[in-house]
Amino acid sequence: MSLAPDESTVLLNQRILFSGYDLEQKVHRGIAFYAKSVLKATQALGATNHLLTSAPQEQAILPHLENPHTSSYRRVLWRYVASRAATMIPKPALTLEGRLSYLEDVAGFVNQPDFYRLVGVHTRLFDSPYPLEVKDFDLIFTPSPLNIRSATKVIQTLPDVIPLLRSDHNPDDVPKVFYRRVKNMLEYAHRIISISNFSRAELLTLFPAYEHKVVTLYPPVPIFPEEAALACDPSFQATVLKKYQLETEGYLLFIGTLEKRKNIARLITSYRAVQQKLRVPLILVGALGYGCEAFQPFLDGRQVRHLSYIPTADKLVLLKNALAFVFPSCYEGFGLPPLEAMQMNCPVLTSRIASLPEACGDAALYVDPHDTTSISDGLVALVSSPALRHDLIQRGAAMVARHSFANYKKNLLTLLTTL
């Protein structure tokens, strides 16, 4: 996507207010990493970013982002009736690391106590969106659907429409409520970003009248140079591998929420069927999610090991040293985990369904996620063939280049300058 000579300066004076909902979750999932990528891209393009937060007290924003606090339902209802005021707050002059390192790309905060729970209450009570009136911003950007309307221009992101099409999702995502959020997003936002052509097509199958508003913008691989450099340091790698009692190319790796949609039960069944041929453990990294009771008894801590939350740097080391990354998910709006593996030179096995072929191209070994024999055969093929793994690593490097941060930044700039 070519840029006009003067477009590089168009965004320099833009003030953008970002929804902080996904960054306020106790566990940062894929959408939170996408949010961090957008913040970094817009800041690099010259925008001034502020984060819309919902800390119960203005002086507790950083502690809230570090360890999110949930107010009582009674207090939320009181706030809904009593006040909807938001306060502009400058960012403290601190060096922020770890979970809060993304705040390097944020100039300040707009805080409204319990804001996201207020929006949730409103969505359950009314068909109309929640009014968000903020001054002195050129744009409001949401990394996931938020049921709001505003006089300020709004760009919203819709990763997928899982609650409207599938049953293997968290029951908290009530289809009726999710439908209302999506319908209002389509009606009141100026643009809607879909993260894949597959997700865009599914959305427009349900809401064809909004085709003119929905654009596809692939997210970048959310691994930044300083993170990759640390993960490639031999001494750091040795420390991390020792911490988790693992050896280079001595394990198969899955990373993601351990939930029904991710096909964990079939992955474990497929692995156990050929365990003697594989002779390496299966390491599952991620928080337990909906439907985990079906496979929890098989997390034996020896051949099938579960690691809960691990730091980003540790995750990258595990990717770099795994024999292969296995991701036979039943559905993905895009599928960043396989691309993260590719960037760390790890061969990938994944599903030939949904958006995954669009994301991975010819750089993955594909299996049928509904067929345990297909998954088992794929695992054996990867483990037994160094040549196959080498070929997938080479193809993966080319695929990652298509989803680079530089390409994403150019495409995002083009989108923002054509509003």
Side-chain angles (χ1 to χ4, degrees):
M1 193 176 295
S2 61
L3 298 175
D6 61 341
E7 282 187 356
S8 61
T9 61
V10 170
L11 197 61
L12 291 179
N13 294 321
Q14 292 284 323
R15 290 171 58 83
I16 303 178
L17 181 62
F18 278 85
S19 165
Y21 173 77
D22 300 289
L23 297 166
E24 291 190 8
Q25 303 306 302
K26 287 186 177 296
V27 175
H28 281 180
R29 302 181 63 174
I31 299 177
F33 287 99
Y34 164 68
K36 295 173 188 179
S37 294
V38 183
L39 283 167
K40 186 171 287 291
T42 50
Q43 193 274 341
L45 289 168
T48 302
N49 297 328
H50 283 70
L51 197 64
L52 180 57
T53 55
S54 66
Q57 298 176 338
E58 295 170 5
Q59 65 270 28
I61 291 178
L62 295 185
H64 176 72
L65 291 172
E66 182 73 52
N67 185 24
H69 171 80
T70 301
S71 297
S72 67
Y73 190 63
R74 178 178 294 181
R75 179 178 290 274
V76 172
L77 289 177
W78 178 83
R79 288 195 194 281
Y80 185 84
V81 174
S83 173
R84 297 183 182 183
T87 305
M88 181 84 77
I89 302 169
K91 187 179 71 174
L94 299 172
T95 300
L96 299 165
E97 300 177 343
R99 179 182 166 98
L100 300 183
S101 60
Y102 67 89
L103 293 178
E104 293 178 1
D105 303 312
V106 173
F109 306 101
V110 173
N111 191 73
Q112 182 173 340
D114 296 314
F115 174 76
Y116 298 107
R117 295 196 70 195
L118 294 176
V119 174
V121 168
H122 183 92
T123 304
R124 289 177 180 270
L125 294 176
F126 303 104
D127 290 332
S128 61
Y130 186 91
L132 174 60
E133 301 305 331
V134 291
K135 297 180 179 179
D136 303 324
F137 286 96
D138 302 292
L139 178 67
I140 297 170
F141 190 105
T142 77
S144 60
L146 187 62
N147 188 25
I148 59 170
R149 61 176 172 81
S150 178
T152 303
K153 289 182 179 179
V154 178
I155 294 181
Q156 299 219 44
T157 308
L158 184 69
D160 55 63
V161 287
I162 288 174
L164 302 182
L165 297 177
R166 301 180 63 88
S167 60
D168 54 355
H169 60 83
N170 192 318
D172 291 341
D173 294 325
V174 180
K176 180 180 179 180
V177 176
F178 186 80
Y179 178 91
R180 188 174 291 167
R181 288 167 57 198
V182 172
K183 184 67 166 61
N184 284 334
M185 175 197 73
L186 290 164
E187 180 69 28
Y188 290 92
H190 291 72
R191 289 288 188 278
I192 294 91
I193 295 175
S194 176
I195 59 175
S196 68
N197 287 326
F198 169 81
S199 289
R200 182 176 187 272
E202 292 217 311
L203 172 64
L204 295 179
T205 297
L206 300 172
F207 303 97
Y210 296 96
E211 182 176 9
H212 63 288
K213 282 191 174 185
V214 186
V215 297
T216 298
L217 184 62
Y218 293 130
V221 183
I223 299 175
F224 302 111
E226 59 275 14
E227 297 172 332
L230 177 60
C232 291
D233 179 80
S235 60
F236 183 71
Q237 288 185 51
T239 299
V240 172
L241 291 174
K242 183 178 180 181
K243 180 197 305 187
Y244 299 109
Q245 299 180 337
L246 296 170
E247 297 180 358
T248 299
E249 295 193 345
Y251 55 95
L252 299 171
L253 182 65
F254 168 93
I255 297 176
T257 304
L258 274 61
E259 59 186 351
K260 187 174 183 179
R261 175 172 60 86
K262 301 292 187 180
N263 212 22
I264 303 301
R266 286 197 189 97
L267 172 58
I268 293 175
T269 298
S270 304
Y271 168 82
R272 286 163 61 91
V274 290
Q275 183 177 325
Q276 296 304 315
K277 293 182 180 180
L278 300 177
R279 298 181 180 274
V280 291
L282 172 62
I283 311 300
L284 306 171
V285 178
L288 293 172
Y290 171 68
C292 65
E293 62 278 356
F295 52 80
Q296 265 187 292
F298 303 105
L299 304 177
D300 58 28
R302 299 182 300 278
Q303 293 305 306
V304 182
R305 291 175 52 191
H306 173 223
L307 302 176
S308 188
Y309 171 79
I310 64 174
T312 297
D314 290 11
K315 177 186 77 171
L316 298 183
V317 169
L318 295 193
L319 283 170
K320 185 168 183 61
N321 287 274
L323 186 63
F325 181 72
V326 293
F327 196 75
S329 176
C330 289
Y331 184 101
E332 295 294 322
F334 181 63
L336 281 173
L339 289 169
E340 290 181 303
M342 291 177 192
Q343 182 160 336
M344 299 310 296
N345 294 323
C346 181
V348 170
L349 175 151
T350 193
S351 305
R352 192 182 292 279
I353 62 168
S355 65
L356 288 163
E358 185 180 348
C360 298
D362 65 353
L365 176 63
Y366 290 102
V367 298
D368 179 351
H370 304 294
D371 183 350
T372 55
T373 300
S374 176
I375 299 172
S376 293
D377 290 346
L379 294 174
V380 172
L382 266 182
V383 170
S384 61
S385 176
L388 174 60
R389 297 197 300 273
H390 176 75
D391 181 57
L392 291 176
I393 289 172
Q394 297 300 111
R395 293 172 183 267
M399 185 56 59
V400 165
R402 298 183 194 178
H403 299 292
S404 69
F405 184 71
N407 283 342
Y408 175 74
K409 191 167 61 172
K410 291 179 183 178
N411 295 335
L412 179 63
L413 178 60
T414 299
L415 170 64
L416 294 179
T417 54
T418 54
L419 274 178

